[in-house]
Amino acid sequence: MGLWLPAGWFPFVEIGASIRNLCMDFPVVLFIMLFATFCKVNLSTPSAATGHLTTRSTIADVLAHPAFEGFAQYILPLEWGYDEAMPLSQVARLLPYHNYIDAGRCVGYINQMIDSVAAGRKIYYDLGRRDAGLFFFRGRPGAPFAVICPGGGFSYVGSIHEGFPHALALSRMGYNAFVIQYQTGSAQTACEDLAAGIEYIFRHVTELQVDTAGYSVWGSSAGARMAAYIGSYGTAAFGAAQLPRPRTVVMAYTGHSEYTRQDPPTYSVVGSNDGIANPNTMRRRTEALKAIGIPAEFHLCPNLRHGFGLGIGTSAEGWIDGAVRFWEENRK
């Protein structure tokens, strides 16, 4: 016997069927909603689980990240002004003097620093000077240290491209590596900050667990000028204590030509197509150092422009290994 329903009840039957179907499909709908939310969070904001950023994260995300409290403004070169909403995929816009910038790798460097803080390691030491400090990337306790000077024409500090990557590479090799954060505006002020940073390391050697014997100073572009000046004239010439000069200076793509008979052994690298730092200037300086008995090497990387950093994926890739070999040969 069929079920009798009064006229006009058919809409209610259809509504009831729809509700029943929705209830049956609810787990699927819920999964889709949760998955979409998960993807949105992981692509655009720091993950609640890891605190990591992505290329869709913004400058504001870096500045607000709890791992960088007190020094977040030094992670990226923001001296020329910035839009907080700019995604990190466009980080190259912040480094107009540099080339071969990979946003994904830059974010990876930031995330490694986040991981270090999460592991309980202090990564930034304030020098008590305006906009000056040291980022510390630990190697083996008691291993020698290097100080890396990023460039930027003394108008910005390009640590994200030619400071943090170098320091991370050296720390993986077991060396203790520092990246100097310095005040922009002039080579004099930058070198004073660098000298103060080296003095800080010497004064806190026990806390930092580094070997001060045979340390090296590295620099790229304007940062290479800083490294060379410290090598030529020492820390006392820039207002710090009289300390041993570095045993090795590593210079990447700079037009610096000045030198003295007291210069440390020097390793130089530049691209053949550099329109800012003339390769011939670096070559002539290297030859002059060798002529007065100072160990020096010059390396020309074909078809490269200015500011190649570690040179990953270019003809310069691996140059840092040669520089480390040179440092070790002259460290003792």
Side-chain angles (χ1 to χ4, degrees):
M1 179 177 171
L3 176 65
W4 176 84
L5 293 173
W9 276 50
F10 292 104
F12 294 101
V13 172
E14 293 174 359
I15 293 173
S18 297
I19 292 174
R20 183 174 65 254
N21 292 336
L22 180 61
C23 291
M24 293 176 64
D25 293 339
F26 180 73
V28 176
V29 173
L30 180 62
F31 172 79
I32 292 172
M33 293 174 64
L34 290 174
F35 181 75
T37 302
F38 173 82
C39 290
K40 181 178 180 182
V41 168
N42 277 270
L43 288 174
S44 61
T45 61
S47 162
T50 66
H52 282 181
L53 303 176
T54 75
T55 54
R56 294 194 183 182
S57 302
T58 65
I59 292 177
D61 292 327
V62 176
L63 293 175
H65 202 290
F68 305 138
E69 185 176 358
F71 57 91
Q73 68 273 30
Y74 305 133
I75 303 297
L76 299 170
L78 304 178
E79 289 84 357
W80 283 18
Y82 57 93
D83 175 4
E84 285 196 350
M86 190 192 86
L88 298 182
S89 60
Q90 299 177 27
V91 67
R93 291 171 52 190
L94 302 174
L95 298 113
Y97 297 150
H98 293 82
N99 291 288
Y100 314 102
I101 299 160
D102 185 286
R105 280 196 288 269
C106 289
V107 172
Y109 305 141
I110 294 173
N111 286 335
Q112 289 182 68
M113 295 164 71
I114 291 170
D115 290 343
S116 289
V117 174
R121 292 187 286 272
K122 184 175 180 178
I123 66 169
Y124 186 76
Y125 295 80
D126 192 281
L127 294 178
R129 302 166 59 89
R130 179 182 173 186
D131 293 329
L134 288 166
F135 286 94
F136 186 21
F137 298 79
R138 287 168 173 78
R140 294 188 308 272
F145 75 87
V147 181
I148 295 118
C149 310
F154 299 116
S155 63
Y156 66 85
V157 183
S159 298
I160 192 64
H161 181 58
E162 58 190 21
F164 303 151
H166 299 51
L168 284 163
L170 290 173
S171 69
R172 285 193 295 270
M173 298 179 196
Y175 300 101
N176 292 295
F178 298 86
V179 176
I180 184 70
Q181 164 60 40
Y182 57 89
Q183 183 181 345
T184 57
S186 73
Q188 178 68 30
T189 301
C191 287
E192 289 172 2
D193 289 343
L194 173 58
I198 294 171
E199 181 177 350
Y200 184 94
I201 297 168
F202 271 78
R203 290 188 181 278
H204 296 83
V205 62
T206 302
E207 172 192 351
L208 299 172
Q209 296 183 290
V210 302
D211 181 2
T212 59
Y215 74 97
S216 60
V217 179
W218 303 49
S220 301
S221 195
R225 292 181 182 272
M226 296 166 60
Y229 280 132
I230 289 294
S232 293
Y233 303 109
T235 52
F238 297 98
Q242 182 71 56
L243 298 169
R245 299 191 192 200
R247 284 296 300 148
T248 296
V249 165
V250 177
M251 303 171 64
Y253 40 84
T254 179
H256 185 79
S257 59
E258 191 175 330
Y259 65 93
T260 71
R261 290 187 173 274
Q262 289 73 45
D263 269 36
T266 302
Y267 184 98
S268 300
V269 61
V270 67
S272 64
N273 294 347
D274 197 314
I276 296 177
N278 190 327
N280 289 326
T281 301
M282 297 190 76
R283 187 195 304 273
R284 286 192 295 269
R285 186 179 188 274
T286 301
E287 292 171 349
L289 291 175
K290 292 169 70 174
I292 57 176
I294 297 172
E297 288 188 13
F298 172 79
H299 296 269
L300 184 66
C301 303
N303 305 314
L304 276 192
R305 291 168 287 151
H306 191 77
F308 52 75
L310 287 181
I312 297 173
T314 74
S315 63
E317 184 166 358
W319 75 262
I320 192 172
D321 298 319
V324 168
R325 182 260 313 154
F326 182 86
W327 177 22
E328 280 295 337
E329 290 173 356
N330 293 282
R331 190 166 65 82
K332 301 295 186 180

